[in-house]
Amino acid sequence: MDEQNITGLEDDIEEYLVFTVDKIDFGIDIGLVQEIIEIQPASPIPNGLDFCSGIINIRGMIVPVLDMRRKLGFQPVEYDDRACIIVILLEAELVGAIVDSVQDVIHISARDLLDSPAISGGEQAYYTSKIASIDGKIRQILNVNAVFDIGNDD
């Protein structure tokens, strides 16, 4: 293989942070992840959305925190010591996402990403943009714009 082909193959590799919610592996573009922090108590927001756990203070910045179990339609549970908050930068805003656990950062070739099948009704299919099957494990790549849209649909 010549050098040009090797470079071309490297260019279509993307990095994703893999995390688990309700025993399902999800991925998010690593470029959006600012940090991963321990779970901490969130201050409730009056009349907040049911999937919003509240707000936390991260080094002087107020950050809304979403419970990914509730947001993705799974049953809420008592989180254990593996649970954490992934802090994500969306446009100019930080958002926290409580997940069951963080697995790893993986590299996925663009050719290994398939469009998410639209077999489930409602928002669930909309929340997943791509599917990757790597080493016999399926990872659902989140559509972050859909998942973290807090509902400004006035």
Side-chain angles (χ1 to χ4, degrees):
M1 194 178 269
D2 64 24
E3 189 174 319
Q4 185 177 12
N5 286 343
I6 292 172
T7 303
L9 289 176
E10 290 173 2
D11 289 343
D12 73 346
I13 301 290
E14 298 179 34
E15 289 184 311
Y16 295 91
L17 176 69
V18 176
F19 60 89
T20 303
V21 176
D22 198 46
K23 299 180 184 172
I24 299 172
D25 288 343
F26 292 94
I28 187 170
D29 182 340
I30 193 69
L32 300 174
V33 176
Q34 296 301 292
E35 62 184 304
I36 300 166
I37 61 175
E38 291 181 359
I39 289 229
Q40 53 188 277
S43 297
I45 300 171
N47 293 324
L49 299 169
D50 67 336
F51 55 83
C52 185
S53 294
I55 53 176
I56 60 174
N57 184 329
I58 301 176
R59 292 180 297 284
M61 297 194 64
I62 302 303
V63 178
V65 177
L66 307 183
D67 183 322
M68 293 302 289
R69 282 182 156 272
R70 286 188 269 167
K71 180 65 179 176
L72 296 174
F74 301 115
Q75 289 295 319
V77 297
E78 191 72 33
Y79 285 106
D80 62 21
D81 61 344
R82 292 182 42 94
C84 57
I85 299 174
I86 301 171
V87 181
I88 301 163
L89 180 64
L90 295 175
E91 297 177 13
E93 300 290 325
L94 291 177
V95 177
I98 301 174
V99 300
D100 294 353
S101 64
V102 168
Q103 303 301 320
D104 203 357
V105 174
I106 61 171
H107 299 84
I108 303 175
S109 169
R111 67 178 171 264
D112 292 329
L113 289 171
L114 306 171
D115 287 335
S116 180
I119 57 173
S120 64
E123 297 175 339
Q124 203 87 24
Y126 185 59
Y127 288 158
T128 303
S129 63
K130 300 284 183 184
I131 303 287
S133 180
I134 307 293
D135 300 328
K137 290 185 177 181
I138 293 177
R139 274 69 181 241
Q140 298 182 45
I141 307 302
L142 288 185
N143 176 346
V144 292
N145 292 325
V147 172
F148 295 103
D149 176 14
I150 306 299
N152 298 328
D153 300 334
D154 296 327

